[in-house]
């Protein structure tokens, strides 16, 4: 709802970008479900979702700097809490880092930049390179702890899946596995389709 106001003010960097996933809008429309947005939970619910400052601020630790962790940290900070976000890698983003590698995924890259700016503006303390153990978490000076460490990728139990020329989409996108000239992709969802397109553009036979 504030898109036009932000654009008028020239605050383009404050506009949360659509990532063209079509999951919350078009997909839900086809299923005759209410519209939602994969990157903006407030969409069409702005009046009910209005944030209010808390009366008693807390120290909140968020473990995991993917989209879920960043959103949790952002909202908590906007409500007045003292938030520290811990991420084991050298940058924020989680699996979206791999997802934003193809040249045609510019919207994902813009979303990550938007979160980095929003977290900074909200006053969130970000600690990168912190792989938290249960013991370390227990020693945190925090009133509340949010665990947002993400999901574990499923690997089908197919004979040969452990061979060196077999890898996950994330490994290929991040350059951890170099595919040969002929590539077989198992799984034709959004990840598989985008990976196929990206590899085809690189001249691979998919």
């Amino acid at each position: 709802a504030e898109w036009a106001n932000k654009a008028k003010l020239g605050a383009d960097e404050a506009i949360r970008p659509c990532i063209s996933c079509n999951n919350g809008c078009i997909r839900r429309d086809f299923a005759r479900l209410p519209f939602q947005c994969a990157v903006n939970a407030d969409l069409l619910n702005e009046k009910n979702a209005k944030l209010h400052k808390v009366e008693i601020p807390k120290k909140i630790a968020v473990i995991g700097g993917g989209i879920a962790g960043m959103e949790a940290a952002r909202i908590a900070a906007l409500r007045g809490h003292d938030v520290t976000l811990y991420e084991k890698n050298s940058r924020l983003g989680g699996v979206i880092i791999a997802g934003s590698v193809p040249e045609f995924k510019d919207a994902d890259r813009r979303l990550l930049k938007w979160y980095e700016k929003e977290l900074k503006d909200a006053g969130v303390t970000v600690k990168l390179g912190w792989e938290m153990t249960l013991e370390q978490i227990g020693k945190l000076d925090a009133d509340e702890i949010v665990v947002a460490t993400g999901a574990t990728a499923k690997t089908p139990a197919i004979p040969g899946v452990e061979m060196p020329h077999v890898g996950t989409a994330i490994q290929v996108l991040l350059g951890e596995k170099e595919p040969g000239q002929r590539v077989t992709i198992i799984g034709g969802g959004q990840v598989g389709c985008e990976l196929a397109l990206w590899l085809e553009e690189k001249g691979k036979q998919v």
Side-chain angles (χ1 to χ4, degrees), residues 58-71:
K58 294 182 178 182
K59 289 185 177 180
I60 296 181
V62 180
I63 315 299
I67 295 296
M70 290 190 291
E71 180 69 356

Side-chain angles (χ1 to χ4, degrees), residues 95-109 169-170 172-174 190-199 201-202:
V95 295
I96 298 294
I97 296 173
S100 66
V101 167
E103 293 76 7
F104 52 82
K105 295 300 291 291
D106 178 62
D108 285 24
R109 294 189 288 274
I170 290 177
V172 173
L173 287 163
L174 293 180
Q190 189 169 355
V191 174
C193 290
E194 289 185 353
L195 181 63
L197 176 60
W198 182 61
L199 291 174
E201 290 179 345
K202 291 184 172 297

Side-chain angles (χ1 to χ4, degrees), residues 38-51:
V39 297
N40 187 355
D42 297 344
L43 185 69
L44 303 180
N45 192 40
E46 288 85 1
K47 288 183 179 179
N48 296 328
K50 189 173 181 180
L51 297 177

Side-chain angles (χ1 to χ4, degrees), residues 93-144:
V95 295
I96 298 294
I97 296 173
S100 66
V101 167
E103 293 76 7
F104 52 82
K105 295 300 291 291
D106 178 62
D108 285 24
R109 294 189 288 274
R110 285 189 288 115
L111 180 66
L112 290 178
K113 288 182 180 179
W114 181 86
Y115 266 111
E116 290 172 358
K117 179 185 182 303
E118 288 292 309
L119 292 176
K120 182 179 179 180
D121 291 348
V124 175
T125 300
V126 177
K127 295 193 175 184
L128 300 174
W130 286 62
E131 185 166 6
M132 303 296 288
T133 64
L134 193 60
E135 182 180 4
Q136 288 173 315
I137 292 174
K139 294 178 180 178
L140 289 175
D141 179 22
D143 301 308
E144 306 287 348

